[in-house]
Amino acid sequence: AQTVTQSQPEMSVQEAETVTLSCTYDTSENNYYLFWYKQPPSRQMILVIRQEAYKQQNATENRFSVNFQKAAKSFSLKISDSQLGDTAMYFCAFMTSSGAGSYQLTFGKGTKLSVIP
Amino acid sequence: EAGVAQSPRYKIIEKRQSVAFWCNPISGHATLYWYQQILGQGPKLLIQFQNNGVVDDSQLPKDRFSAERLKGVDSTLKIQPAKLEDSAVYLCASSLGLRTDTQYFGPGTRLTVL
């Protein structure tokens, strides 16, 4: 079974600073996909960034970037120039085949990030 | 483009009552998912549809939960009878296809069972 571990239940960062959220996963699969989702207090889950395991290059989306270490099964999210709107729960998620041609997302427990003015 | 719509946003019921949640996915998305998110945890997949067929319902408690997507668009998730441990946020998501397409989530329905 696949598991996703986020070891930091809560974090805080000063506005305009940089913060890194950690995520590790456990799988025996070789073909999989990794995601970071953001869930603001309003509860709408929003995709932040996506990484395909077969790609060596780390994904970036504006102020958001990942450090994907496949051998270590680590997938951390770096947020640069933090903004007040980045305050949210951040979930790391792992996707792989669950059989019968379907793919299933497995989420970690989340990290609550607070950006302090 | 409209996002995933869900209703109601909040629901409070007593244990042993029934409740139903509705989801309308993004137009053109063939795959629809229902997740349960208990407070303090990440979402857990309950059921996955491809068009109007069930692809994966291995984690759906079938003795009390049921779901349907009759015309391959809207979906309804029902709980009958509800238990205290069913208190959670129920999230609906949709994606273009079945495989590795990004899932887009709705705002969720917060269920409280008293």
Side-chain angles (χ1 to χ4, degrees):
Chain A
Q2 278 69 233
T3 59
V4 178
T5 302
Q6 293 181 248
S7 58
Q8 305 149 316
E10 292 192 42
M11 293 190 73
S12 62
V13 62
Q14 290 290 136
E15 196 174 5
E17 297 294 309
T18 295
V19 65
T20 299
L21 310 183
S22 301
C23 173
T24 59
Y25 57 93
D26 186 25
T27 183
S28 57
E29 301 287 333
N30 196 45
N31 183 27
Y32 53 88
Y33 303 79
L34 294 160
F35 303 81
W36 279 98
Y37 277 90
K38 167 186 176 181
Q39 190 176 41
S42 64
R43 296 204 310 275
Q44 188 105 29
M45 192 89 74
I46 304 165
L47 177 69
V48 175
I49 201 163
R50 167 190 171 122
Q51 173 83 42
E52 287 81 0
Y54 61 84
K55 290 186 178 179
Q56 292 186 336
Q57 188 173 5
N58 288 325
T60 62
E61 284 289 343
N62 300 315
R63 297 183 295 108
F64 299 88
S65 62
V66 298
N67 183 4
F68 174 45
Q69 301 288 330
K70 191 171 183 178
K73 297 181 181 176
S74 170
F75 182 61
S76 61
L77 174 70
K78 186 172 82 171
I79 306 174
S80 304
D81 186 25
S82 296
Q83 300 175 1
L84 296 178
D86 295 334
T87 293
M89 283 291 288
Y90 286 81
F91 291 95
C92 179
F94 171 95
M95 177 187 280
T96 191
S97 173
S98 60
S102 72
Y103 280 69
Q104 186 173 121
L105 263 180
T106 300
F107 286 85
K109 290 189 174 182
T111 295
K112 184 177 181 181
L113 178 67
S114 299
V115 180
I116 302 166
Chain B
E1 177 182 85
V4 177
Q6 290 188 248
S7 68
R9 293 294 307 275
Y10 305 90
K11 189 74 177 179
I12 301 174
I13 62 173
E14 307 231 333
K15 60 183 179 183
R16 291 187 290 273
Q17 286 187 324
S18 302
V19 64
F21 312 126
W22 173 83
C23 173
N24 182 242
I26 293 172
S27 177
H29 280 197
T31 310
L32 185 147
Y33 312 80
W34 282 103
Y35 289 86
Q36 181 191 58
Q37 186 178 16
I38 293 172
L39 186 66
Q41 297 183 22
K44 183 188 83 169
L45 179 69
L46 292 176
I47 189 167
Q48 179 179 345
F49 292 93
Q50 172 76 356
N51 297 312
N52 61 349
V54 175
V55 175
D56 184 350
D57 64 355
S58 57
Q59 300 188 83
L60 187 73
K62 298 180 187 63
D63 57 334
R64 298 183 300 104
F65 287 65
S66 64
E68 59 184 13
R69 193 184 184 199
L70 291 176
K71 297 183 179 178
V73 181
D74 294 7
S75 177
T76 302
L77 176 70
K78 296 180 182 178
I79 307 175
Q80 181 181 3
K83 292 185 175 181
L84 296 177
E85 58 261 36
D86 298 332
S87 293
V89 175
Y90 290 85
L91 296 168
C92 180
S94 69
S95 65
L96 270 174
L98 181 62
R99 298 177 66 82
T100 61
D101 295 329
T102 295
Q103 297 182 23
Y104 296 88
F105 286 80
T109 297
R110 181 182 295 278
L111 173 67
T112 301
V113 182
L114 302 175

